[in-house]
Amino acid sequence: MAAFDPTTTIRKIESFIASRPEFSDVMVGDPKAPFTSKGLGAAIFMDSQTIAELMLDGNPLEIHYVAVRVYSLDAFMGETPDEWELQLLRAVGLLQAALWGDFDLGGTLRTIDLAGEHGRPMSVEYGYVDVGGQMHRVANMIIPCMVDSTVTPSQ
């Protein structure tokens, strides 16, 4: 179904998050064992993809919904649970602001569909996930990436 390689989208988001100082571990795929470094971890995977419309040139506009699960590495984040929570909220807020502000998309990534003009908007849900017997506080982000052939690939 995809006219554009979704691995390119995943790798662009991975690279962008890995460059952020808030994150100590970033990986594609969901971890099967707890993260071992201090700070916040992020796992990136494809949630879904769809063709939103056909452009005038006949090429599709695709939306790649990239899931980013931000893990609070509780034992390393602070002295108290409120510090862990505040650190997670702060990092997610900074990541959201960077995605709609300074993010140089490059390649065929046109932009982030923040408000869901072509489907679901960018969103975050919070919860808890067990990874290898260790409970983590998580923020599950959905990042709707608009992908098409009208952008000029970056160098």
Side-chain angles (χ1 to χ4, degrees):
M1 172 178 127
F4 302 101
D5 183 359
T7 63
T8 301
T9 305
I10 290 284
R11 291 296 185 199
K12 291 268 184 204
I13 298 294
E14 175 192 28
S15 171
F16 179 75
I17 294 173
S19 74
R20 304 284 311 160
E22 301 86 18
F23 297 93
S24 56
D25 263 322
V26 179
M27 65 180 288
V28 172
D30 234 357
K32 301 302 176 208
F35 287 102
T36 57
S37 62
K38 297 180 179 184
L40 292 170
I44 303 157
F45 44 96
M46 189 64 73
D47 179 71
S48 64
Q49 59 194 66
T50 187
I51 295 176
E53 66 181 73
L54 288 177
M55 308 301 288
L56 291 175
D57 65 2
N59 288 314
L61 167 66
E62 291 184 12
I63 307 294
H64 293 177
Y65 293 97
V66 176
V68 176
R69 180 171 288 154
V70 178
Y71 291 82
S72 167
L73 310 178
D74 294 349
F76 304 113
M77 300 236 353
E79 300 293 322
T80 62
D82 66 324
E83 289 179 33
W84 306 335
E85 184 74 10
L86 295 175
Q87 179 75 9
L88 179 65
L89 295 172
R90 192 173 303 112
V92 168
L94 289 170
L95 179 56
Q96 285 180 308
L99 284 167
W100 65 61
D102 300 330
F103 188 27
D104 179 12
L105 301 166
T108 57
L109 290 176
R110 182 200 292 179
T111 191
I112 305 298
D113 189 12
L114 296 172
E117 182 179 327
H118 294 282
R120 294 184 288 164
M122 185 180 341
S123 63
V124 181
E125 293 184 4
Y126 296 88
Y128 292 89
V129 172
D130 184 303
V131 179
Q134 187 174 12
M135 194 60 81
H136 293 275
R137 178 75 166 135
V138 296
N140 294 305
M141 294 182 70
I142 297 295
I143 304 171
C145 300
M146 295 174 62
V147 182
D148 72 21
S149 61
T150 64
V151 294
T152 303
S154 65
Q155 303 301 322

